[in-house]
Amino acid sequence: MPNDLCDSLLVWLRTFDVVKYVTFTSKELTDGLILSSVLNEIAPGWFNLADSLKENINDNWRLKVSNLRKVKNAILDYYQEVLELDLVQFPMPDCNIIGEHADEEHLGRLLQLVLGCAVHCDEKEEHIKKIMGLEEHVQTGVMQCIQELMEYEMPRNMGNMDYEKKLELSNNELENANREVEEYKQKIHDLEIQIQILQESNDTLHNENERLELKCKTDQNSMNHMMQSQGDDQGNVSQLIEDFHAERYQLELARDDYKIKCETLEVGSFSKICSV
């Protein structure tokens, strides 16, 4: 198995709750303890290996190999007795090489078997959903591992069929799985488009709200200015009226004075006429 596929499986392994907050490298998987915890999360009713595995074994590669063999055998038993699948000509991982040398190719094969348990167990939809949530290049690597593994899987009730017939059925299952993957990808794509549309609508509404708020402020300022202007105009009119009344009063006074003068002149003239 290429190292990049093993790296993808390591990233996938960190999606499990039991190791989500645990920092580990490929070497730290070689004692089998983390793999045992992950398998227990996949199928807790089947994988109960904790009591049978040695802990705190450090670099004792023989104890590592012992643990890894127990993990591997439990996986193969799960395939046969629970999943009712045989792995025909699958390149099995060598536990000796993993335990002694931390070989990533053989470790990747073991992780591939763990992956097979996850995508076939009762909670497979949840595990597939987590895979679809990985980064695209990681997701591609994990899906490649699943497809390769399925090429070797044969239902146990097919034992009497010839190899070509088994291979044909296996390829059909693989095609169906690929279709399901494409359907998942299309659903994700459709959801992303809907999210984008909703985001654009939200942005439009936000901008329209800001525009209306600004218009309200502008209209309010205009209204205040108009009311102030009207107040000023009203004050000017009142002053004009007062000035008009004052001027009228002065004119009336002048008129009255003029009348008095006229009457005085008329009296004077009449008196002069009478005296003549």
Side-chain angles (χ1 to χ4, degrees):
M1 171 179 287
N3 288 343
D4 58 337
L5 292 183
C6 183
D7 292 339
S8 295
L9 292 176
L10 287 174
V11 174
W12 163 75
L13 202 67
R14 294 186 178 93
T15 63
F16 287 88
D17 293 336
V18 291
V19 293
K20 185 177 293 183
Y21 304 106
V22 178
T23 302
F24 60 86
T25 63
S26 58
K27 184 177 181 180
E28 290 165 322
L29 298 178
T30 58
D31 61 4
L33 297 177
I34 291 178
L35 295 181
S36 170
S37 298
V38 170
L39 288 168
N40 181 257
E41 185 174 333
I42 292 172
W46 180 267
F47 294 106
N48 296 297
L49 299 171
D51 294 337
S52 64
L53 300 183
K54 301 294 183 181
E55 298 183 4
N56 302 318
I57 56 181
N58 299 320
D59 292 329
N60 189 327
W61 68 270
R62 288 182 175 83
L63 292 179
K64 288 183 178 182
V65 170
S66 176
N67 282 354
L68 290 170
R69 283 176 178 168
K70 292 176 182 178
V71 170
K72 175 184 170 181
N73 290 336
I75 292 173
L76 296 179
D77 290 343
Y78 181 76
Y79 258 85
Q80 293 182 350
E81 298 182 30
V82 178
L83 303 181
E84 296 185 345
L85 292 173
D86 287 327
L87 293 171
V88 179
Q89 297 184 346
F90 177 76
M92 288 293 174
D94 189 322
C95 294
N96 288 301
I97 296 177
I98 298 174
E100 187 173 2
H101 303 292
D103 183 85
E104 290 197 352
E105 179 179 354
H106 285 271
L107 177 62
R109 291 297 181 191
L110 186 57
L111 292 175
Q112 195 172 12
L113 293 176
V114 176
L115 174 63
C117 294
V119 298
H120 286 305
C121 73
D122 293 338
E123 302 297 327
K124 61 184 178 182
E125 289 85 2
E126 185 65 27
H127 295 302
I128 292 174
K129 188 185 299 183
K130 289 181 179 180
I131 292 172
M132 301 308 292
L134 296 171
E135 293 183 9
E136 185 173 355
H137 72 283
V138 177
Q139 181 187 137
T140 300
V142 174
M143 295 306 300
Q144 183 177 337
C145 291
I146 294 174
Q147 292 174 2
E148 181 185 11
L149 184 63
M150 291 183 66
E151 292 177 0
Y152 297 99
E153 294 175 351
M154 299 292 174
R156 302 209 72 192
N157 57 9
M158 294 171 58
N160 295 327
M161 296 184 183
D162 58 55
Y163 180 76
E164 289 186 0
K165 184 63 176 178
K166 290 180 181 180
L167 184 60
E168 179 183 352
L169 292 175
S170 179
N171 287 336
N172 290 336
E173 291 179 359
L174 181 59
E175 289 177 2
N176 291 333
N178 287 335
R179 275 196 297 271
E180 289 183 6
V181 170
E182 292 302 320
E183 289 175 1
Y184 273 116
K185 288 184 176 180
Q186 185 61 44
K187 288 179 180 178
I188 291 173
H189 178 68
D190 293 341
L191 288 173
E192 288 177 344
I193 292 176
Q194 292 181 27
I195 290 172
Q196 183 179 355
I197 293 173
L198 289 173
Q199 184 62 46
E200 291 175 354
S201 299
N202 181 67
D203 292 341
T204 301
L205 290 173
H206 180 72
N207 293 335
E208 180 66 13
N209 184 58
E210 288 185 343
R211 187 187 69 80
L212 290 174
E213 287 182 353
L214 180 60
K215 187 176 184 301
C216 287
K217 290 180 181 179
T218 303
D219 291 347
Q220 184 64 41
N221 292 335
S222 298
M223 180 65 71
N224 292 338
H225 179 70
M226 184 177 68
M227 292 179 66
Q228 182 178 0
S229 298
Q230 289 178 347
D232 292 341
D233 292 343
Q234 185 176 2
N236 292 335
V237 171
S238 299
Q239 184 64 42
L240 289 173
I241 293 173
E242 290 180 4
D243 292 344
F244 171 76
H245 284 301
E247 186 176 354
R248 179 180 177 182
Y249 177 71
Q250 294 296 328
L251 290 174
E252 288 178 347
L253 288 177
R255 181 198 63 188
D256 292 341
D257 288 341
Y258 180 73
K259 283 182 178 181
I260 293 172
K261 290 179 180 179
C262 284
E263 290 175 356
T264 302
L265 289 173
E266 287 177 353
V267 171
S269 298
F270 182 74
S271 295
K272 287 180 180 181
I273 294 171
C274 289
S275 62
V276 172

